[in-house]
Amino acid sequence: MKTHALLASIALAVAVPAFAAGDKHDHAHEHKPLHGGVVVEVKDMDYELVAKPTTIQLFLRDHGKAADVSKASAKVTLLTGTEKQEVELKPAGDKLEATGSFKVGPGTKAVALVTVAGKPATARFTLK
């Protein structure tokens, strides 16, 4: 039985660095915020969330170029302390947007369920 545990440990030790190395990707764009928000990458798409007390905006970039959001939709769940708020975002020019009153600030967590061209994706953010 100890042999199996030892082999499993060795396999895990070898697999983790290989997995981590596979996580790197080479492409010509950077994942920097262009609108003052927080950027995450999901499936080669950059999502930038700009969260202000009166406006929530979500910008999408596909390989560094603005994605067409004219037929996209998103639902963002904001988690601030013990408070939870759900916000529907609609297309507004080059972004998805909602206006209203939002409790956001450093440490607020946001989960965006975004649908573009019928394909759903989930992006998770922590506001700074």
Side-chain angles (χ1 to χ4, degrees):
M1 190 70 160
K2 285 187 177 184
T3 304
H4 292 290
L6 178 62
L7 289 176
S9 296
I10 291 170
L12 184 61
V14 171
V16 170
F19 177 76
D23 191 35
K24 294 180 182 177
H25 51 275
D26 290 326
H27 46 250
H29 72 279
E30 295 185 41
H31 306 288
K32 291 186 177 181
L34 301 179
H35 306 281
V38 177
V39 177
V40 299
E41 182 185 28
V42 178
K43 298 180 183 175
D44 288 334
M45 179 85 75
D46 285 348
Y47 296 84
E48 181 177 356
L49 182 69
V50 179
K52 298 179 180 175
T54 58
T55 308
I56 303 291
Q57 298 173 323
L58 187 63
F59 296 86
L60 282 65
R61 292 189 303 270
D62 186 1
H63 292 91
K65 296 185 170 114
D68 179 10
V69 296
S70 62
K71 296 178 184 168
S73 64
K75 179 173 140 183
V76 176
T77 302
L78 300 169
L79 304 166
T80 305
T82 59
E83 295 185 41
K84 177 180 173 181
Q85 185 177 14
E86 293 186 349
V87 182
E88 293 286 333
L89 304 181
K90 302 289 183 195
D94 64 344
K95 64 193 164 293
L96 297 168
E97 182 176 68
T99 57
S101 179
F102 311 107
K103 188 165 185 167
V104 294
T108 296
K109 303 223 184 285
V111 178
L113 177 58
V114 185
T115 303
V116 179
K119 297 178 183 177
T122 302
R124 299 176 193 286
F125 305 87
T126 300
L127 302 183
K128 297 177 182 178

